[in-house]
Amino acid sequence: MEALYTAKVKVHGGRTGSIESSDGVLKHNLSMPKELGGSGGEGTNPEQLFAAGYGACFESALANVARKEKIKLEGVEVDSQVTIGKDEADGGFQLSVQLDVKIPNVDKSQAQELLHKAHQFCPYSKATRGNIVVKLNAVD
């Protein structure tokens, strides 16, 4: 791989600590969700950050695929969901992803095909392929 960009983030305190990017643009406290036994709070968490990154990357991949196929996209919305749950195989944890994507003015079957092609192209999809369940849904 030819490196084009490297994101650098310092993490202190794990799920109840803080994060800060090397350029200072990303700076947040982290808090454990109540659903995972934490106190909740105003901090973000790794699942939210992963959902945001995956959703943004996927929408860019979708735009790239559509551009190559000469399909004009406007008003695309990606609802990115990352779920953490118990891994029945080893008692640890595992993730799953669901991407509900609204593509206005594109019929549902064509939208689903675009999602499939974007999934083949997206770096997040490549990184997770074969490791976690990723569901892609074209929605109205």
Side-chain angles (χ1 to χ4, degrees), residues 50 54 83 85-87 89-90 93-97 119 123-135:
F50 187 64
Y54 202 153
T83 300
K86 286 284 189 176
D87 186 338
D90 66 9
F93 297 94
Q94 68 183 53
L95 299 174
S96 66
V97 172
H119 190 52
Y124 274 70
S125 293
K126 289 178 182 180
T128 60
R129 190 167 292 120
N131 296 311
I132 66 173
V133 173
V134 176
K135 294 181 183 175

mmCIF file with all atom_site columns, all heavy atoms in Angstrom, residues 50 54 83 85-87 89-90 93-97 119 123-135:
data_model
loop_
_atom_site.group_PDB
_atom_site.id
_atom_site.type_symbol
_atom_site.label_atom_id
_atom_site.label_alt_id
_atom_site.label_comp_id
_atom_site.label_asym_id
_atom_site.label_entity_id
_atom_site.label_seq_id
_atom_site.pdbx_PDB_ins_code
_atom_site.Cartn_x
_atom_site.Cartn_y
_atom_site.Cartn_z
_atom_site.occupancy
_atom_site.B_iso_or_equiv
_atom_site.pdbx_formal_charge
_atom_site.auth_seq_id
_atom_site.auth_comp_id
_atom_site.auth_asym_id
_atom_site.auth_atom_id
_atom_site.pdbx_PDB_model_num
ATOM 1   N N   . PHE A 1 50  ? -16.607 4.853   15.367 1.00 0.00 ? 50  PHE A N   1
ATOM 2   C CA  . PHE A 1 50  ? -16.517 3.902   14.260 1.00 0.00 ? 50  PHE A CA  1
ATOM 3   C C   . PHE A 1 50  ? -17.697 4.089   13.302 1.00 0.00 ? 50  PHE A C   1
ATOM 4   O O   . PHE A 1 50  ? -17.524 4.079   12.075 1.00 0.00 ? 50  PHE A O   1
ATOM 5   C CB  . PHE A 1 50  ? -16.456 2.473   14.796 1.00 0.00 ? 50  PHE A CB  1
ATOM 6   C CG  . PHE A 1 50  ? -16.185 1.431   13.751 1.00 0.00 ? 50  PHE A CG  1
ATOM 7   C CD1 . PHE A 1 50  ? -14.988 1.410   13.067 1.00 0.00 ? 50  PHE A CD1 1
ATOM 8   C CD2 . PHE A 1 50  ? -17.122 0.460   13.465 1.00 0.00 ? 50  PHE A CD2 1
ATOM 9   C CE1 . PHE A 1 50  ? -14.728 0.435   12.092 1.00 0.00 ? 50  PHE A CE1 1
ATOM 10  C CE2 . PHE A 1 50  ? -16.876 -0.515  12.500 1.00 0.00 ? 50  PHE A CE2 1
ATOM 11  C CZ  . PHE A 1 50  ? -15.682 -0.521  11.815 1.00 0.00 ? 50  PHE A CZ  1
ATOM 12  N N   . TYR A 1 54  ? -17.138 5.046   9.465  1.00 0.00 ? 54  TYR A N   1
ATOM 13  C CA  . TYR A 1 54  ? -17.599 4.106   8.437  1.00 0.00 ? 54  TYR A CA  1
ATOM 14  C C   . TYR A 1 54  ? -18.638 4.773   7.543  1.00 0.00 ? 54  TYR A C   1
ATOM 15  O O   . TYR A 1 54  ? -18.562 4.699   6.314  1.00 0.00 ? 54  TYR A O   1
ATOM 16  C CB  . TYR A 1 54  ? -18.173 2.850   9.088  1.00 0.00 ? 54  TYR A CB  1
ATOM 17  C CG  . TYR A 1 54  ? -18.208 1.614   8.214  1.00 0.00 ? 54  TYR A CG  1
ATOM 18  C CD1 . TYR A 1 54  ? -18.170 0.351   8.789  1.00 0.00 ? 54  TYR A CD1 1
ATOM 19  C CD2 . TYR A 1 54  ? -18.305 1.670   6.829  1.00 0.00 ? 54  TYR A CD2 1
ATOM 20  C CE1 . TYR A 1 54  ? -18.205 -0.799  8.019  1.00 0.00 ? 54  TYR A CE1 1
ATOM 21  C CE2 . TYR A 1 54  ? -18.347 0.524   6.045  1.00 0.00 ? 54  TYR A CE2 1
ATOM 22  C CZ  . TYR A 1 54  ? -18.309 -0.701  6.644  1.00 0.00 ? 54  TYR A CZ  1
ATOM 23  O OH  . TYR A 1 54  ? -18.355 -1.846  5.880  1.00 0.00 ? 54  TYR A OH  1
ATOM 24  N N   . THR A 1 83  ? -23.166 -1.896  16.354 1.00 0.00 ? 83  THR A N   1
ATOM 25  C CA  . THR A 1 83  ? -23.650 -2.593  17.538 1.00 0.00 ? 83  THR A CA  1
ATOM 26  C C   . THR A 1 83  ? -22.518 -3.408  18.127 1.00 0.00 ? 83  THR A C   1
ATOM 27  O O   . THR A 1 83  ? -21.775 -4.067  17.399 1.00 0.00 ? 83  THR A O   1
ATOM 28  C CB  . THR A 1 83  ? -24.824 -3.528  17.165 1.00 0.00 ? 83  THR A CB  1
ATOM 29  O OG1 . THR A 1 83  ? -25.871 -2.728  16.599 1.00 0.00 ? 83  THR A OG1 1
ATOM 30  C CG2 . THR A 1 83  ? -25.337 -4.294  18.363 1.00 0.00 ? 83  THR A CG2 1
ATOM 31  N N   . GLY A 1 85  ? -21.837 -6.449  20.937 1.00 0.00 ? 85  GLY A N   1
ATOM 32  C CA  . GLY A 1 85  ? -22.550 -7.494  21.665 1.00 0.00 ? 85  GLY A CA  1
ATOM 33  C C   . GLY A 1 85  ? -21.607 -8.605  22.064 1.00 0.00 ? 85  GLY A C   1
ATOM 34  O O   . GLY A 1 85  ? -20.420 -8.595  21.726 1.00 0.00 ? 85  GLY A O   1
ATOM 35  N N   . LYS A 1 86  ? -22.145 -9.546  22.788 1.00 0.00 ? 86  LYS A N   1
ATOM 36  C CA  . LYS A 1 86  ? -21.360 -10.691 23.248 1.00 0.00 ? 86  LYS A CA  1
ATOM 37  C C   . LYS A 1 86  ? -21.056 -11.628 22.084 1.00 0.00 ? 86  LYS A C   1
ATOM 38  O O   . LYS A 1 86  ? -21.917 -11.919 21.270 1.00 0.00 ? 86  LYS A O   1
ATOM 39  C CB  . LYS A 1 86  ? -22.120 -11.481 24.319 1.00 0.00 ? 86  LYS A CB  1
ATOM 40  C CG  . LYS A 1 86  ? -22.162 -10.806 25.670 1.00 0.00 ? 86  LYS A CG  1
ATOM 41  C CD  . LYS A 1 86  ? -20.841 -10.940 26.360 1.00 0.00 ? 86  LYS A CD  1
ATOM 42  C CE  . LYS A 1 86  ? -20.925 -10.474 27.791 1.00 0.00 ? 86  LYS A CE  1
ATOM 43  N NZ  . LYS A 1 86  ? -19.696 -10.665 28.505 1.00 0.00 ? 86  LYS A NZ  1
ATOM 44  N N   . ASP A 1 87  ? -19.827 -12.082 22.025 1.00 0.00 ? 87  ASP A N   1
ATOM 45  C CA  . ASP A 1 87  ? -19.407 -13.080 21.049 1.00 0.00 ? 87  ASP A CA  1
ATOM 46  C C   . ASP A 1 87  ? -19.641 -14.447 21.677 1.00 0.00 ? 87  ASP A C   1
ATOM 47  O O   . ASP A 1 87  ? -18.968 -14.822 22.639 1.00 0.00 ? 87  ASP A O   1
ATOM 48  C CB  . ASP A 1 87  ? -17.927 -12.881 20.704 1.00 0.00 ? 87  ASP A CB  1
ATOM 49  C CG  . ASP A 1 87  ? -17.451 -13.790 19.592 1.00 0.00 ? 87  ASP A CG  1
ATOM 50  O OD1 . ASP A 1 87  ? -18.073 -14.846 19.349 1.00 0.00 ? 87  ASP A OD1 1
ATOM 51  O OD2 . ASP A 1 87  ? -16.437 -13.445 18.966 1.00 0.00 ? 87  ASP A OD2 1
ATOM 52  N N   . ALA A 1 89  ? -18.951 -17.299 20.619 1.00 0.00 ? 89  ALA A N   1
ATOM 53  C CA  . ALA A 1 89  ? -17.872 -18.257 20.394 1.00 0.00 ? 89  ALA A CA  1
ATOM 54  C C   . ALA A 1 89  ? -16.830 -18.229 21.506 1.00 0.00 ? 89  ALA A C   1
ATOM 55  O O   . ALA A 1 89  ? -16.348 -19.271 21.938 1.00 0.00 ? 89  ALA A O   1
ATOM 56  C CB  . ALA A 1 89  ? -17.200 -17.996 19.042 1.00 0.00 ? 89  ALA A CB  1
ATOM 57  N N   . ASP A 1 90  ? -16.469 -17.029 21.969 1.00 0.00 ? 90  ASP A N   1
ATOM 58  C CA  . ASP A 1 90  ? -15.391 -16.960 22.973 1.00 0.00 ? 90  ASP A CA  1
ATOM 59  C C   . ASP A 1 90  ? -15.755 -16.180 24.230 1.00 0.00 ? 90  ASP A C   1
ATOM 60  O O   . ASP A 1 90  ? -14.920 -15.994 25.110 1.00 0.00 ? 90  ASP A O   1
ATOM 61  C CB  . ASP A 1 90  ? -14.114 -16.380 22.345 1.00 0.00 ? 90  ASP A CB  1
ATOM 62  C CG  . ASP A 1 90  ? -14.247 -14.923 21.932 1.00 0.00 ? 90  ASP A CG  1
ATOM 63  O OD1 . ASP A 1 90  ? -15.267 -14.280 22.263 1.00 0.00 ? 90  ASP A OD1 1
ATOM 64  O OD2 . ASP A 1 90  ? -13.313 -14.416 21.279 1.00 0.00 ? 90  ASP A OD2 1
ATOM 65  N N   . PHE A 1 93  ? -16.417 -9.872  23.040 1.00 0.00 ? 93  PHE A N   1
ATOM 66  C CA  . PHE A 1 93  ? -17.330 -8.960  22.369 1.00 0.00 ? 93  PHE A CA  1
ATOM 67  C C   . PHE A 1 93  ? -17.085 -8.976  20.869 1.00 0.00 ? 93  PHE A C   1
ATOM 68  O O   . PHE A 1 93  ? -16.000 -9.322  20.412 1.00 0.00 ? 93  PHE A O   1
ATOM 69  C CB  . PHE A 1 93  ? -17.143 -7.529  22.899 1.00 0.00 ? 93  PHE A CB  1
ATOM 70  C CG  . PHE A 1 93  ? -17.477 -7.407  24.355 1.00 0.00 ? 93  PHE A CG  1
ATOM 71  C CD1 . PHE A 1 93  ? -16.508 -7.525  25.324 1.00 0.00 ? 93  PHE A CD1 1
ATOM 72  C CD2 . PHE A 1 93  ? -18.787 -7.164  24.759 1.00 0.00 ? 93  PHE A CD2 1
ATOM 73  C CE1 . PHE A 1 93  ? -16.808 -7.421  26.666 1.00 0.00 ? 93  PHE A CE1 1
ATOM 74  C CE2 . PHE A 1 93  ? -19.104 -7.054  26.099 1.00 0.00 ? 93  PHE A CE2 1
ATOM 75  C CZ  . PHE A 1 93  ? -18.119 -7.184  27.052 1.00 0.00 ? 93  PHE A CZ  1
ATOM 76  N N   . GLN A 1 94  ? -18.097 -8.573  20.117 1.00 0.00 ? 94  GLN A N   1
ATOM 77  C CA  . GLN A 1 94  ? -17.953 -8.439  18.679 1.00 0.00 ? 94  GLN A CA  1
ATOM 78  C C   . GLN A 1 94  ? -18.821 -7.281  18.213 1.00 0.00 ? 94  GLN A C   1
ATOM 79  O O   . GLN A 1 94  ? -19.721 -6.832  18.937 1.00 0.00 ? 94  GLN A O   1
ATOM 80  C CB  . GLN A 1 94  ? -18.309 -9.716  17.939 1.00 0.00 ? 94  GLN A CB  1
ATOM 81  C CG  . GLN A 1 94  ? -19.777 -10.110 17.989 1.00 0.00 ? 94  GLN A CG  1
ATOM 82  C CD  . GLN A 1 94  ? -20.022 -11.422 17.281 1.00 0.00 ? 94  GLN A CD  1
ATOM 83  O OE1 . GLN A 1 94  ? -19.372 -12.409 17.564 1.00 0.00 ? 94  GLN A OE1 1
ATOM 84  N NE2 . GLN A 1 94  ? -20.971 -11.430 16.370 1.00 0.00 ? 94  GLN A NE2 1
ATOM 85  N N   . LEU A 1 95  ? -18.537 -6.809  17.019 1.00 0.00 ? 95  LEU A N   1
ATOM 86  C CA  . LEU A 1 95  ? -19.273 -5.701  16.424 1.00 0.00 ? 95  LEU A CA  1
ATOM 87  C C   . LEU A 1 95  ? -20.078 -6.163  15.228 1.00 0.00 ? 95  LEU A C   1
ATOM 88  O O   . LEU A 1 95  ? -19.736 -7.158  14.585 1.00 0.00 ? 95  LEU A O   1
ATOM 89  C CB  . LEU A 1 95  ? -18.299 -4.612  15.943 1.00 0.00 ? 95  LEU A CB  1
ATOM 90  C CG  . LEU A 1 95  ? -17.411 -3.949  16.977 1.00 0.00 ? 95  LEU A CG  1
ATOM 91  C CD1 . LEU A 1 95  ? -16.430 -3.007  16.294 1.00 0.00 ? 95  LEU A CD1 1
ATOM 92  C CD2 . LEU A 1 95  ? -18.230 -3.213  18.018 1.00 0.00 ? 95  LEU A CD2 1
ATOM 93  N N   . SER A 1 96  ? -21.128 -5.417  14.916 1.00 0.00 ? 96  SER A N   1
ATOM 94  C CA  . SER A 1 96  ? -21.835 -5.558  13.648 1.00 0.00 ? 96  SER A CA  1
ATOM 95  C C   . SER A 1 96  ? -22.170 -4.149  13.175 1.00 0.00 ? 96  SER A C   1
ATOM 96  O O   . SER A 1 96  ? -22.199 -3.204  13.963 1.00 0.00 ? 96  SER A O   1
ATOM 97  C CB  . SER A 1 96  ? -23.097 -6.406  13.788 1.00 0.00 ? 96  SER A CB  1
ATOM 98  O OG  . SER A 1 96  ? -24.049 -5.758  14.605 1.00 0.00 ? 96  SER A OG  1
ATOM 99  N N   . VAL A 1 97  ? -22.398 -4.025  11.878 1.00 0.00 ? 97  VAL A N   1
ATOM 100 C CA  . VAL A 1 97  ? -22.671 -2.733  11.266 1.00 0.00 ? 97  VAL A CA  1
ATOM 101 C C   . VAL A 1 97  ? -23.915 -2.842  10.402 1.00 0.00 ? 97  VAL A C   1
ATOM 102 O O   . VAL A 1 97  ? -24.118 -3.851  9.718  1.00 0.00 ? 97  VAL A O   1
ATOM 103 C CB  . VAL A 1 97  ? -21.475 -2.269  10.398 1.00 0.00 ? 97  VAL A CB  1
ATOM 104 C CG1 . VAL A 1 97  ? -21.820 -1.022  9.599  1.00 0.00 ? 97  VAL A CG1 1
ATOM 105 C CG2 . VAL A 1 97  ? -20.239 -2.044  11.249 1.00 0.00 ? 97  VAL A CG2 1
ATOM 106 N N   . HIS A 1 119 ? -19.585 -1.069  -1.348 1.00 0.00 ? 119 HIS A N   1
ATOM 107 C CA  . HIS A 1 119 ? -19.074 -1.962  -0.297 1.00 0.00 ? 119 HIS A CA  1
ATOM 108 C C   . HIS A 1 119 ? -17.789 -2.667  -0.748 1.00 0.00 ? 119 HIS A C   1
ATOM 109 O O   . HIS A 1 119 ? -16.918 -2.949  0.064  1.00 0.00 ? 119 HIS A O   1
ATOM 110 C CB  . HIS A 1 119 ? -20.163 -2.970  0.067  1.00 0.00 ? 119 HIS A CB  1
ATOM 111 C CG  . HIS A 1 119 ? -19.880 -3.797  1.271  1.00 0.00 ? 119 HIS A CG  1
ATOM 112 N ND1 . HIS A 1 119 ? -19.521 -3.268  2.489  1.00 0.00 ? 119 HIS A ND1 1
ATOM 113 C CD2 . HIS A 1 119 ? -19.918 -5.142  1.445  1.00 0.00 ? 119 HIS A CD2 1
ATOM 114 C CE1 . HIS A 1 119 ? -19.355 -4.252  3.359  1.00 0.00 ? 119 HIS A CE1 1
ATOM 115 N NE2 . HIS A 1 119 ? -19.584 -5.394  2.749  1.00 0.00 ? 119 HIS A NE2 1
ATOM 116 N N   . PRO A 1 123 ? -12.769 1.486   1.933  1.00 0.00 ? 123 PRO A N   1
ATOM 117 C CA  . PRO A 1 123 ? -11.700 0.955   2.788  1.00 0.00 ? 123 PRO A CA  1
ATOM 118 C C   . PRO A 1 123 ? -12.204 0.358   4.114  1.00 0.00 ? 123 PRO A C   1
ATOM 119 O O   . PRO A 1 123 ? -11.664 -0.634  4.588  1.00 0.00 ? 123 PRO A O   1
ATOM 120 C CB  . PRO A 1 123 ? -10.806 2.168   3.053  1.00 0.00 ? 123 PRO A CB  1
ATOM 121 C CG  . PRO A 1 123 ? -11.054 3.082   1.911  1.00 0.00 ? 123 PRO A CG  1
ATOM 122 C CD  . PRO A 1 123 ? -12.496 2.879   1.534  1.00 0.00 ? 123 PRO A CD  1
ATOM 123 N N   . TYR A 1 124 ? -13.235 0.952   4.714  1.00 0.00 ? 124 TYR A N   1
ATOM 124 C CA  . TYR A 1 124 ? -13.792 0.381   5.950  1.00 0.00 ? 124 TYR A CA  1
ATOM 125 C C   . TYR A 1 124 ? -14.402 -0.984  5.662  1.00 0.00 ? 124 TYR A C   1
ATOM 126 O O   . TYR A 1 124 ? -14.245 -1.931  6.441  1.00 0.00 ? 124 TYR A O   1
ATOM 127 C CB  . TYR A 1 124 ? -14.853 1.305   6.550  1.00 0.00 ? 124 TYR A CB  1
ATOM 128 C CG  . TYR A 1 124 ? -14.306 2.384   7.442  1.00 0.00 ? 124 TYR A CG  1
ATOM 129 C CD1 . TYR A 1 124 ? -13.580 3.449   6.934  1.00 0.00 ? 124 TYR A CD1 1
ATOM 130 C CD2 . TYR A 1 124 ? -14.537 2.349   8.820  1.00 0.00 ? 124 TYR A CD2 1
ATOM 131 C CE1 . TYR A 1 124 ? -13.091 4.449   7.755  1.00 0.00 ? 124 TYR A CE1 1
ATOM 132 C CE2 . TYR A 1 124 ? -14.057 3.348   9.655  1.00 0.00 ? 124 TYR A CE2 1
ATOM 133 C CZ  . TYR A 1 124 ? -13.331 4.395   9.104  1.00 0.00 ? 124 TYR A CZ  1
ATOM 134 O OH  . TYR A 1 124 ? -12.851 5.381   9.933  1.00 0.00 ? 124 TYR A OH  1
ATOM 135 N N   . SER A 1 125 ? -15.111 -1.097  4.543  1.00 0.00 ? 125 SER A N   1
ATOM 136 C CA  . SER A 1 125 ? -15.705 -2.382  4.165  1.00 0.00 ? 125 SER A CA  1
ATOM 137 C C   . SER A 1 125 ? -14.628 -3.423  3.921  1.00 0.00 ? 125 SER A C   1
ATOM 138 O O   . SER A 1 125 ? -14.766 -4.580  4.323  1.00 0.00 ? 125 SER A O   1
ATOM 139 C CB  . SER A 1 125 ? -16.573 -2.221  2.917  1.00 0.00 ? 125 SER A CB  1
ATOM 140 O OG  . SER A 1 125 ? -17.703 -1.425  3.186  1.00 0.00 ? 125 SER A OG  1
ATOM 141 N N   . LYS A 1 126 ? -13.558 -3.020  3.264  1.00 0.00 ? 126 LYS A N   1
ATOM 142 C CA  . LYS A 1 126 ? -12.452 -3.952  3.030  1.00 0.00 ? 126 LYS A CA  1
ATOM 143 C C   . LYS A 1 126 ? -11.837 -4.402  4.346  1.00 0.00 ? 126 LYS A C   1
ATOM 144 O O   . LYS A 1 126 ? -11.497 -5.576  4.516  1.00 0.00 ? 126 LYS A O   1
ATOM 145 C CB  . LYS A 1 126 ? -11.381 -3.296  2.152  1.00 0.00 ? 126 LYS A CB  1
ATOM 146 C CG  . LYS A 1 126 ? -11.797 -3.108  0.714  1.00 0.00 ? 126 LYS A CG  1
ATOM 147 C CD  . LYS A 1 126 ? -10.702 -2.409  -0.077 1.00 0.00 ? 126 LYS A CD  1
ATOM 148 C CE  . LYS A 1 126 ? -11.108 -2.161  -1.504 1.00 0.00 ? 126 LYS A CE  1
ATOM 149 N NZ  . LYS A 1 126 ? -10.045 -1.477  -2.266 1.00 0.00 ? 126 LYS A NZ  1
ATOM 150 N N   . ALA A 1 127 ? -11.700 -3.479  5.296  1.00 0.00 ? 127 ALA A N   1
ATOM 151 C CA  . ALA A 1 127 ? -11.076 -3.807  6.581  1.00 0.00 ? 127 ALA A CA  1
ATOM 152 C C   . ALA A 1 127 ? -11.944 -4.754  7.412  1.00 0.00 ? 127 ALA A C   1
ATOM 153 O O   . ALA A 1 127 ? -11.417 -5.571  8.171  1.00 0.00 ? 127 ALA A O   1
ATOM 154 C CB  . ALA A 1 127 ? -10.798 -2.533  7.376  1.00 0.00 ? 127 ALA A CB  1
ATOM 155 N N   . THR A 1 128 ? -13.256 -4.655  7.270  1.00 0.00 ? 128 THR A N   1
ATOM 156 C CA  . THR A 1 128 ? -14.152 -5.461  8.087  1.00 0.00 ? 128 THR A CA  1
ATOM 157 C C   . THR A 1 128 ? -14.605 -6.743  7.390  1.00 0.00 ? 128 THR A C   1
ATOM 158 O O   . THR A 1 128 ? -15.136 -7.642  8.046  1.00 0.00 ? 128 THR A O   1
ATOM 159 C CB  . THR A 1 128 ? -15.405 -4.656  8.485  1.00 0.00 ? 128 THR A CB  1
ATOM 160 O OG1 . THR A 1 128 ? -16.095 -4.246  7.297  1.00 0.00 ? 128 THR A OG1 1
ATOM 161 C CG2 . THR A 1 128 ? -15.033 -3.446  9.326  1.00 0.00 ? 128 THR A CG2 1
ATOM 162 N N   . ARG A 1 129 ? -14.405 -6.829  6.093  1.00 0.00 ? 129 ARG A N   1
ATOM 163 C CA  . ARG A 1 129 ? -14.911 -7.974  5.320  1.00 0.00 ? 129 ARG A CA  1
ATOM 164 C C   . ARG A 1 129 ? -14.429 -9.296  5.910  1.00 0.00 ? 129 ARG A C   1
ATOM 165 O O   . ARG A 1 129 ? -13.249 -9.509  6.128  1.00 0.00 ? 129 ARG A O   1
ATOM 166 C CB  . ARG A 1 129 ? -14.484 -7.858  3.859  1.00 0.00 ? 129 ARG A CB  1
ATOM 167 C CG  . ARG A 1 129 ? -15.163 -8.879  2.953  1.00 0.00 ? 129 ARG A CG  1
ATOM 168 C CD  . ARG A 1 129 ? -14.980 -8.574  1.473  1.00 0.00 ? 129 ARG A CD  1
ATOM 169 N NE  . ARG A 1 129 ? -15.731 -7.358  1.144  1.00 0.00 ? 129 ARG A NE  1
ATOM 170 C CZ  . ARG A 1 129 ? -15.174 -6.256  0.654  1.00 0.00 ? 129 ARG A CZ  1
ATOM 171 N NH1 . ARG A 1 129 ? -13.895 -6.197  0.397  1.00 0.00 ? 129 ARG A NH1 1
ATOM 172 N NH2 . ARG A 1 129 ? -15.923 -5.195  0.398  1.00 0.00 ? 129 ARG A NH2 1
ATOM 173 N N   . GLY A 1 130 ? -15.383 -10.177 6.178  1.00 0.00 ? 130 GLY A N   1
ATOM 174 C CA  . GLY A 1 130 ? -15.057 -11.491 6.715  1.00 0.00 ? 130 GLY A CA  1
ATOM 175 C C   . GLY A 1 130 ? -14.843 -11.492 8.225  1.00 0.00 ? 130 GLY A C   1
ATOM 176 O O   . GLY A 1 130 ? -14.668 -12.548 8.816  1.00 0.00 ? 130 GLY A O   1
ATOM 177 N N   . ASN A 1 131 ? -14.858 -10.301 8.841  1.00 0.00 ? 131 ASN A N   1
ATOM 178 C CA  . ASN A 1 131 ? -14.631 -10.203 10.278 1.00 0.00 ? 131 ASN A CA  1
ATOM 179 C C   . ASN A 1 131 ? -15.894 -9.884  11.062 1.00 0.00 ? 131 ASN A C   1
ATOM 180 O O   . ASN A 1 131 ? -16.041 -10.342 12.189 1.00 0.00 ? 131 ASN A O   1
ATOM 181 C CB  . ASN A 1 131 ? -13.584 -9.119  10.575 1.00 0.00 ? 131 ASN A CB  1
ATOM 182 C CG  . ASN A 1 131 ? -12.243 -9.468  9.998  1.00 0.00 ? 131 ASN A CG  1
ATOM 183 O OD1 . ASN A 1 131 ? -11.748 -10.557 10.181 1.00 0.00 ? 131 ASN A OD1 1
ATOM 184 N ND2 . ASN A 1 131 ? -11.660 -8.534  9.271  1.00 0.00 ? 131 ASN A ND2 1
ATOM 185 N N   . ILE A 1 132 ? -16.761 -9.068  10.479 1.00 0.00 ? 132 ILE A N   1
ATOM 186 C CA  . ILE A 1 132 ? -18.013 -8.713  11.146 1.00 0.00 ? 132 ILE A CA  1
ATOM 187 C C   . ILE A 1 132 ? -19.141 -8.706  10.121 1.00 0.00 ? 132 ILE A C   1
ATOM 188 O O   . ILE A 1 132 ? -18.911 -8.575  8.924  1.00 0.00 ? 132 ILE A O   1
ATOM 189 C CB  . ILE A 1 132 ? -17.945 -7.335  11.851 1.00 0.00 ? 132 ILE A CB  1
ATOM 190 C CG1 . ILE A 1 132 ? -17.780 -6.194  10.854 1.00 0.00 ? 132 ILE A CG1 1
ATOM 191 C CG2 . ILE A 1 132 ? -16.848 -7.305  12.898 1.00 0.00 ? 132 ILE A CG2 1
ATOM 192 C CD1 . ILE A 1 132 ? -17.878 -4.808  11.485 1.00 0.00 ? 132 ILE A CD1 1
ATOM 193 N N   . VAL A 1 133 ? -20.368 -8.820  10.617 1.00 0.00 ? 133 VAL A N   1
ATOM 194 C CA  . VAL A 1 133 ? -21.539 -8.744  9.755  1.00 0.00 ? 133 VAL A CA  1
ATOM 195 C C   . VAL A 1 133 ? -21.784 -7.279  9.411  1.00 0.00 ? 133 VAL A C   1
ATOM 196 O O   . VAL A 1 133 ? -21.820 -6.424  10.300 1.00 0.00 ? 133 VAL A O   1
ATOM 197 C CB  . VAL A 1 133 ? -22.777 -9.340  10.457 1.00 0.00 ? 133 VAL A CB  1
ATOM 198 C CG1 . VAL A 1 133 ? -24.036 -9.099  9.636  1.00 0.00 ? 133 VAL A CG1 1
ATOM 199 C CG2 . VAL A 1 133 ? -22.580 -10.824 10.710 1.00 0.00 ? 133 VAL A CG2 1
ATOM 200 N N   . VAL A 1 134 ? -21.931 -7.001  8.115  1.00 0.00 ? 134 VAL A N   1
ATOM 201 C CA  . VAL A 1 134 ? -22.275 -5.655  7.639  1.00 0.00 ? 134 VAL A CA  1
ATOM 202 C C   . VAL A 1 134 ? -23.516 -5.786  6.778  1.00 0.00 ? 134 VAL A C   1
ATOM 203 O O   . VAL A 1 134 ? -23.506 -6.493  5.767  1.00 0.00 ? 134 VAL A O   1
ATOM 204 C CB  . VAL A 1 134 ? -21.121 -5.024  6.821  1.00 0.00 ? 134 VAL A CB  1
ATOM 205 C CG1 . VAL A 1 134 ? -21.537 -3.670  6.264  1.00 0.00 ? 134 VAL A CG1 1
ATOM 206 C CG2 . VAL A 1 134 ? -19.857 -4.898  7.670  1.00 0.00 ? 134 VAL A CG2 1
ATOM 207 N N   . LYS A 1 135 ? -24.599 -5.120  7.188  1.00 0.00 ? 135 LYS A N   1
ATOM 208 C CA  . LYS A 1 135 ? -25.839 -5.127  6.425  1.00 0.00 ? 135 LYS A CA  1
ATOM 209 C C   . LYS A 1 135 ? -25.981 -3.804  5.706  1.00 0.00 ? 135 LYS A C   1
ATOM 210 O O   . LYS A 1 135 ? -25.801 -2.748  6.296  1.00 0.00 ? 135 LYS A O   1
ATOM 211 C CB  . LYS A 1 135 ? -27.042 -5.343  7.354  1.00 0.00 ? 135 LYS A CB  1
ATOM 212 C CG  . LYS A 1 135 ? -27.062 -6.702  8.002  1.00 0.00 ? 135 LYS A CG  1
ATOM 213 C CD  . LYS A 1 135 ? -28.287 -6.852  8.884  1.00 0.00 ? 135 LYS A CD  1
ATOM 214 C CE  . LYS A 1 135 ? -28.254 -8.198  9.580  1.00 0.00 ? 135 LYS A CE  1
ATOM 215 N NZ  . LYS A 1 135 ? -29.367 -8.328  10.530 1.00 0.00 ? 135 LYS A NZ  1
#
